[in-house]
Amino acid sequence: MNRIAQWLFAKPRVTQGEVFAALDIGSSKIACFIARAEGEGSPPRVIGIGHQLAEGMRNGSVANMEALQHAISSAVATAEQMAGEMLQRVIVNVSGSQLLSQTVNIELPLNGREVTEGDLQRIVAQGQTMVPEDAQGHPLELIHTIPVSYTLDHQKGIRDPVGMTGGMLQAQLHLVSAAFGPVRTLITAIARCHLEIEKLVAAPYASGLACLVEDEMDLGCLVIDMGAGTTSFAVFFDGSAVYTDGIPVGGAHVTNDIARGLTTSLAHAERLKTLYGNAVPSAMDEREMIDVPQVGEEAPENANHIQKSQLIRIIQPRLEEIFELVRARMDKSGFQEMAGRRVVLTGGASQMPGVRELAQRVLDKQVRLGRPLRVARPPLANGKAGPSFTGLAEATSGPAFATTAGLLVVAMQPELAASSSFSEFVSSVNMFGRVGQWIKQNM
């Protein structure tokens, strides 16, 4: 079993009574889950849930710092009030459209001795020095350094070399980086809400940890997290995340297309998409009529009466474009074959009827809708199930909250987040958060 799979499907590495929290900052919503570790053999219990409209975010990036701080504070306060706890540290996601994936190879001479945990740590540390640069020559922000596989004296496919003896240890690492400016801005916004950041986690990686079963991680699977402003995706193979990427197109673009095409407000466009939207047309669409309120004319008698098929003809091309962009990125990456023929869709935009069928046709793969298995599902009696949570309402255990659930999984198993290089900056910003926490508690 791969080290990631070992961590994921092992017992939670948190002590009884410990409280931990996940903060999912998306383009349409900000969600905060608070969980408490229960006794031996019991899954952690979610004791606080808060979610808020994501004001101040646009396409996965901060657009208005003050509005974002207010939205984060509101979501966290709601979760704190439900849980009866005051948060100090949170695990936060990084949007997929900002991510860059890179595979590097590291060599470490052993001179005939055994491989130790220290050797693996040295390999990871060396990999962290190989962070790529952006177009202006500035280094990117390293989020994850994930060991993919090891080779010992030309023996490939080793998953855990600790205790083995050889002359040369080679490792393949998956580096996940993000744009420097947006990540630092996000960190600062959270610190101004008097919160410390425990870890940053790539959004598609978190969704995969929450939704995939062990066989999908081993045999190869593509996870597509369809958010409002971005669509991010990750490839899992042989128990590891081997590729991550994202595009700045999501469900909000479908809403904008409806608003423009039918000359209605964004609020009414979102309602039409939710009530009548479908990714694939049907014979009944021509006979079903829907009312479309016009911009500035709220009176029902002024609404346009259109066929449902007209709405579908607006929705389908944009969703097709999203899947075609994902397919093109996958073809260019060279990981298409490694991903196999399995796709798991998560995210709020994946819940529209017909999205699964459309994805199957465009991607030419077997597709299922992913739900956070390790949040809503109780553990199996044999103990082989991954860490799971109780206490979640049905509304917050669906595909839209897959990333939030994955952040909780990382909170229970910190090794899953691997190593990152932003700790020095986070430590300095967290000092600002600790001062704010003291003020929050003593004023």
Side-chain angles (χ1 to χ4, degrees):
M1 182 181 292
N2 186 280
R3 294 174 70 86
I4 286 184
Q6 287 176 350
W7 292 327
L8 180 59
F9 295 94
K11 292 182 179 179
R13 301 195 177 210
V14 290
T15 58
Q16 182 175 353
E18 183 177 348
V19 174
F20 44 96
L23 182 62
D24 176 9
I25 301 178
S27 299
S28 66
K29 73 176 188 310
I30 295 174
C32 179
F33 286 179
I34 303 175
R36 176 184 288 121
E38 300 290 325
E40 182 69 24
S42 300
R45 175 170 294 275
V46 175
I47 57 176
I49 299 172
H51 49 90
Q52 187 80 11
L53 184 67
E55 298 176 348
M57 293 292 293
R58 184 177 179 85
N59 294 342
S61 299
V62 180
N64 186 317
M65 181 76 85
E66 185 175 350
L68 176 61
Q69 292 171 31
H70 176 74
I72 292 174
S73 298
S74 298
V76 171
T78 301
E80 287 179 333
Q81 184 176 6
M82 181 183 294
E85 300 280 350
M86 182 170 289
L87 295 182
Q88 293 185 350
R89 301 175 68 84
V90 291
I91 292 184
V92 185
N93 67 307
V94 178
S95 173
S97 66
Q98 307 169 14
L99 300 176
L100 175 67
S101 188
Q102 180 188 20
T103 301
V104 299
N105 295 300
I106 307 292
E107 292 186 353
L108 181 67
L110 297 175
N111 301 319
R113 60 177 178 81
E114 286 187 3
V115 181
T116 66
E117 286 286 350
D119 294 326
L120 304 189
Q121 294 172 7
R122 281 190 287 273
I123 286 176
V124 169
Q126 186 175 345
Q128 291 174 1
T129 65
M130 305 173 70
V131 184
E133 298 179 345
D134 60 16
Q136 288 74 38
H138 301 131
L140 298 176
E141 201 69 57
L142 183 61
I143 307 298
H144 299 299
T145 308
I146 304 174
V148 174
S149 65
Y150 296 94
T151 300
L152 185 61
D153 292 343
H154 307 293
Q155 180 185 347
K156 299 181 179 180
I158 299 174
R159 295 188 173 187
D160 187 358
V162 174
M164 303 177 67
T165 302
M168 178 66 70
L169 178 64
Q170 296 172 303
Q172 187 178 72
L173 304 180
H174 175 207
L175 306 184
V176 182
S177 307
F180 179 87
V183 171
R184 295 296 173 98
T185 302
L186 181 64
I187 293 172
T188 302
I190 295 171
R192 290 182 181 177
C193 297
H194 315 310
L195 293 168
E196 299 179 30
I197 298 176
E198 188 170 349
K199 291 182 184 296
L200 291 179
V201 182
Y205 179 51
S207 297
L209 293 177
C211 297
L212 295 186
V213 299
E214 188 174 358
D215 284 344
E216 287 173 328
M217 288 188 177
D218 283 337
L219 300 177
C221 184
L222 173 64
V223 180
I224 303 178
D225 189 348
M226 303 180 68
T230 63
T231 297
S232 57
F233 46 98
V235 175
F236 286 78
F237 178 75
D238 201 21
S240 295
V242 296
Y243 179 72
T244 56
D245 203 348
I247 55 176
V249 188
H253 294 79
V254 177
T255 304
N256 288 335
D257 291 345
I258 296 172
R260 289 174 176 270
L262 301 181
T263 62
T264 188
S265 67
L266 287 173
H268 285 130
E270 182 67 28
R271 178 175 172 80
L272 290 170
K273 182 181 75 172
T274 303
L275 292 178
Y276 307 107
N278 204 307
V280 292
S282 68
M284 296 293 293
D285 296 339
E286 297 289 341
R287 295 191 287 272
E288 186 175 350
M289 303 297 293
I290 57 179
D291 295 335
V292 181
Q294 298 301 288
V295 175
E297 298 181 2
E298 299 297 327
E301 60 269 18
N302 295 326
N304 280 345
H305 307 286
I306 67 168
Q307 295 175 326
K308 182 180 176 181
S309 59
Q310 187 174 344
L311 175 66
I312 306 303
R313 285 196 294 269
I314 295 174
I315 292 174
Q316 187 181 25
R318 178 66 78 173
L319 292 176
E320 284 181 340
E321 178 194 20
I322 291 174
F323 292 125
E324 287 169 356
L325 288 172
V326 171
R327 184 183 63 190
R329 289 286 186 93
M330 287 296 299
D331 289 338
K332 185 178 179 181
S333 71
F335 287 91
Q336 186 74 271
E337 183 177 350
M338 193 173 291
R341 292 189 50 78
R342 188 71 171 172
V343 173
V344 174
L345 296 179
T346 69
S350 70
Q351 299 177 104
M352 179 183 292
V355 167
R356 175 179 176 177
E357 291 76 12
L358 182 64
Q360 283 188 174
R361 178 168 61 82
V362 176
L363 299 175
D364 191 26
K365 295 176 183 287
Q366 296 295 319
V367 180
R368 75 170 176 90
L369 191 62
R371 299 171 66 88
L373 304 175
R374 289 160 200 97
V375 172
R377 182 187 64 177
L380 300 178
N382 59 11
K384 290 186 178 180
S388 55
F389 293 81
T390 60
L392 278 185
E394 180 65 23
T396 52
S397 61
F401 291 88
T403 298
T404 323
L407 295 176
L408 284 181
V409 174
V410 173
M412 287 193 306
Q413 307 283 7
E415 299 90 343
L416 289 170
S419 303
S420 53
S421 66
F422 64 93
S423 57
E424 183 177 345
F425 177 76
V426 168
S427 296
S428 62
V429 177
N430 280 346
M431 179 59 70
F432 180 85
R434 282 190 286 272
V435 173
Q437 277 286 343
W438 185 90
I439 296 174
K440 186 178 178 181
Q441 294 171 357
N442 292 277
M443 292 297 288

